[in-house]
Amino acid sequence: YLERAKKFLEEFRGEDLVFPVVCPHAVYTCSEKTLLKAYELSKEYETLLHIHVSETKTEVEQTLKEKGKRPVELLESLGILDENSLLAHCVHLTEEEFELIKERRAKVAHCPESNLKLSSGIANLPKFLEKGILVGLGTDGSASNDDLSILGEMRTCALIHKGKYGASSVRAEDIFRLATENGYKICNLKGGKVEEGYLADLLVIDPKRPNLQPLYDPLSQLVYSSNESNIRAVLCNGKVLMEEGELKTLDLERVLYEAKTWKERVLECLRES
């Protein structure tokens, strides 16, 4: 897998629309030797090291039992926790681990809907924000999120933290920044703002639809009231991918056919097993 990762890095580094990252899964599924080699590979190719960290209580307990350290502490002891570390989830952390992440300037990918669906818990986003830790908003994969909607993720993120930590614990501005500017900062890309010199990655939102009327606070209503029906157009790197519901670069019928084909293959594998 390390060789495959290296081949991938070689093939796609420098591509406009591909952001290659070294991704060892987690401290409980990868040996320390593998983690160190993955870290060396990320340094060689100057990429992020992306790893699942403290997603579940079971993971933390298993790591403590087998390694004598919690996941963040283990990464620190191996010398691979730094500004190029992207830690997914970070649901179960101690105060000391929050401080380690802050001191090492590691980044966090917060995936609230996945954490809810898998009953992993709720990461303490307000504490990340309070400590100035760079956090981006993620959806995780379709198996643990289903719709992969960043608009839905924003609303869920805002609501669960208000429900757990208080109505003033997060603001609409915080959530919007997680879903836009912070994601680019984490990846060392210049994007997430509508400014000259920034990547033209945009969603064009129609505020005139009934669910956004009457419009008092555009940012707040984007976070709490918008959905996919409000999206008029999607642009990536200045290229229009979707406009008025029409896909510009994909053959929808072909995509649906391939999805059905893969479904049948998966079901066949399940029957055989």
Side-chain angles (χ1 to χ4, degrees):
Y1 284 107
L2 287 164
E3 286 301 316
R4 289 175 65 183
K6 187 171 184 176
K7 182 180 178 182
F8 181 81
L9 294 169
E10 287 281 359
E11 184 176 353
F12 288 103
R13 64 176 175 171
E15 287 284 331
D16 286 343
L17 300 179
V18 180
F19 183 73
V21 175
V22 180
C23 301
H25 175 254
V27 298
Y28 66 96
T29 49
C30 296
S31 68
E32 293 178 18
K33 182 179 178 182
T34 297
L35 292 172
L36 287 168
K37 285 189 174 183
Y39 178 75
E40 290 167 7
L41 194 60
S42 71
K43 288 298 181 186
E44 179 183 351
Y45 286 87
E46 299 180 335
T47 73
L48 293 177
L49 184 81
H50 176 38
I51 183 169
H52 294 66
V53 172
S54 299
E55 181 178 1
T56 66
K57 288 182 178 179
T58 302
E59 171 194 338
V60 175
E61 291 166 359
Q62 181 179 333
T63 308
L64 269 171
K65 181 180 179 181
E66 295 178 359
K67 307 292 184 180
K69 294 180 176 67
R70 298 172 65 88
V72 175
E73 295 170 341
L74 181 59
L75 294 176
E76 167 71 5
S77 71
L78 293 173
I80 61 177
L81 184 69
D82 60 24
E83 67 277 4
N84 289 314
S85 303
L86 176 54
L87 315 178
H89 304 298
C90 292
V91 177
H92 303 282
L93 301 180
T94 62
E95 184 64 34
E96 290 75 19
E97 287 177 301
F98 275 104
E99 285 299 318
L100 276 174
I101 292 171
K102 177 184 177 180
E103 289 171 14
R104 298 296 180 239
R105 296 169 60 201
K107 290 111 171 166
V108 173
H110 179 39
C111 306
E113 290 192 357
S114 170
N115 297 153
L116 290 173
K117 184 179 181 183
L118 299 180
S119 193
S120 301
I122 299 174
N124 193 337
L125 175 61
K127 181 165 284 192
F128 284 124
L129 297 176
E130 175 193 326
K131 290 184 176 293
I133 294 168
L134 185 57
V135 185
L137 190 63
T139 58
D140 207 337
S142 55
S144 60
N145 181 278
D146 297 290
D147 64 5
L148 302 179
S149 167
I150 198 65
L151 297 179
E153 203 78 30
M154 283 198 297
R155 185 171 189 270
T156 298
C157 183
L159 294 178
I160 63 172
H161 293 295
K162 286 176 178 291
K164 184 170 182 178
Y165 299 107
S168 61
S169 61
V170 293
R171 304 169 301 163
E173 296 95 317
D174 298 323
I175 305 301
F176 181 73
R177 192 173 297 112
L178 259 65
T180 54
E181 184 181 354
N182 280 15
Y184 287 89
K185 281 185 176 179
I186 284 171
C187 299
N188 300 314
L189 297 172
K190 198 172 182 181
K193 289 183 177 182
V194 183
E195 290 185 16
E196 185 177 348
Y198 281 71
L199 290 167
D201 295 347
L202 305 167
L203 295 182
V204 180
I205 301 291
D206 180 2
K208 296 179 182 179
R209 292 183 65 85
N211 62 313
L212 292 180
Q213 288 294 319
L215 191 64
Y216 295 106
D217 182 337
L219 194 56
S220 179
Q221 285 171 249
L222 178 67
V223 171
Y224 292 106
S225 302
S226 68
N227 57 51
E228 280 66 31
S229 70
N230 298 110
I231 301 175
R232 295 281 299 275
V234 178
L235 288 82
C236 179
N237 204 23
K239 183 176 183 179
V240 178
L241 302 184
M242 185 279 287
E243 188 173 16
E244 302 298 349
E246 181 184 352
L247 296 173
K248 300 294 186 179
T249 63
L250 294 174
D251 180 345
L252 181 57
E253 291 302 317
R254 179 66 187 177
V255 172
L256 294 175
Y257 170 78
E258 290 187 7
K260 182 181 178 182
T261 300
W262 275 103
K263 171 192 170 183
E264 290 168 354
R265 290 178 65 179
V266 170
L267 290 175
E268 183 63 28
C269 288
L270 289 173
R271 283 192 292 268
E272 289 175 358
S273 63

